[in-house]
Amino acid sequence: MELLSRVATELTHAIAASLGLPEDQFDDAFVDAPHWFGKLIRYVGLDADGLDVQGVGPHADYGFLTLLLQDGAGGLQARPPRMTEWVDIPPIEDALVINVGEMLEVATHGYLVSPVHRVLPCAPGTTRQSIAFFWSPRLDATLRPVPLTPELAAHAPGVTETEYNPVLPRFGDNALKGWFRSHPEVAARHHADLLDSLLIKGGHE
C-alpha cells in the first residue's frame, strides 16, 4: 500500500503537470489523511449447473485514480465518453490499468472523464482475478475546478451526471454515494434521509 500510494502520488503530480499546473496542485486535498483502499477481486464463471455467474455491471469510480492489476483472463471493458459502444481493455503483462475517477473529473471540469466500465462474466469453469487500488483525497476534501488553459478549457464540457448518479465535489459525500449505489436496499432501509440529502434517486444507469 505504501508503494502504491507513492506511485499514485507521482501520477497525481504528473497529471497536474500535464495540465500546465504546478505539480503540487492537488496536494492539499491529500495532505495528512488521503483515503485509499485495496481490493482483491475474484470473478468466477458459470458453475456446472450454469447458474452462478459473476461479473460487475457498468459503473464509474467515485474516487480520484484507480490503479488496477489484472490477470490474463480479460473481460474488462470501458465505454469512452460520448460513445455508446464498449471497448476491450486487454491485459498487458507487468502493466497497470489507470482509471480516472469522478473526483479528477470534477477537478478538471470534465476535461478528464471518469469512464463507465464493466467486467464481463468469465467463461464456464474459469476465473478472473485482479487487484484494485483506489486513490482518493481526504474524506472532507472538496475538489473545485482547476484553472485550465483556454485550449484545454475548450474541451472541458463539465461533469458528466445523470439523475441517478450526481457527482458530488466533497469526496466523503461522493464516496458515500458510491457505497449507497452498490448497496441500494440497505441504503433505502437504513439511510433514507441521507439518500435524500445526497440527491440520490433510485434506479440504474
Side-chain angles (χ1 to χ4, degrees):
M1 296 300 99
E2 290 178 358
L3 172 60
L4 289 172
S5 294
R6 291 199 301 271
V7 172
T9 299
E10 289 184 21
L11 282 170
T12 300
H13 288 168
I15 288 169
S18 74
L19 295 171
L21 302 168
E23 286 191 1
D24 63 356
Q25 176 72 41
F26 301 110
D27 283 4
D28 285 349
F30 290 87
V31 70
D32 294 333
H35 186 83
W36 58 260
F37 70 98
K39 290 175 69 174
L40 306 178
I41 310 165
R42 181 173 183 264
Y43 306 89
V44 296
L46 292 168
D47 63 15
D49 298 322
L51 297 177
D52 287 338
V53 60
Q54 181 186 8
V56 62
H59 67 285
D61 292 343
Y62 53 79
F64 193 87
L65 287 174
T66 302
L67 285 62
L68 179 74
L69 179 66
Q70 56 177 338
D71 65 11
L76 177 62
Q77 293 185 325
R79 193 171 63 208
R82 295 170 290 281
M83 293 183 62
T84 58
E85 296 185 357
W86 294 93
V87 297
D88 293 325
I89 311 298
I92 299 176
E93 188 174 358
D94 296 327
L96 296 172
V97 175
I98 308 299
N99 192 40
V100 170
E102 290 176 338
M103 291 292 93
L104 185 49
E105 182 171 344
V106 168
T108 61
H109 201 60
Y111 177 72
L112 297 176
V113 179
S114 181
V116 175
H117 53 285
R118 67 183 182 183
V119 177
L120 299 177
C122 301
T126 67
T127 62
R128 179 184 188 275
Q129 299 183 79
S130 62
I131 303 172
F133 178 80
F134 301 93
W135 176 248
S136 300
R138 295 186 321 278
L139 288 170
D140 66 345
T142 297
L143 275 292
R144 301 297 183 190
V146 298
L148 298 175
T149 65
E151 293 78 13
L152 297 185
H155 299 281
V159 175
T160 304
E161 294 184 291
T162 69
E163 64 174 322
Y164 302 121
N165 184 44
V167 177
L168 308 170
R170 187 169 65 176
F171 173 63
D173 293 337
N174 212 52
L176 187 61
K177 175 207 71 177
W179 285 106
F180 282 178
R181 295 285 294 164
S182 298
H183 307 282
E185 293 87 359
V186 174
R189 179 179 299 176
H190 299 289
H191 303 290
D193 57 330
L194 291 177
L195 285 174
D196 291 338
S197 70
L198 296 177
L199 303 178
I200 299 172
K201 299 183 180 181
H204 302 281
E205 178 207 16

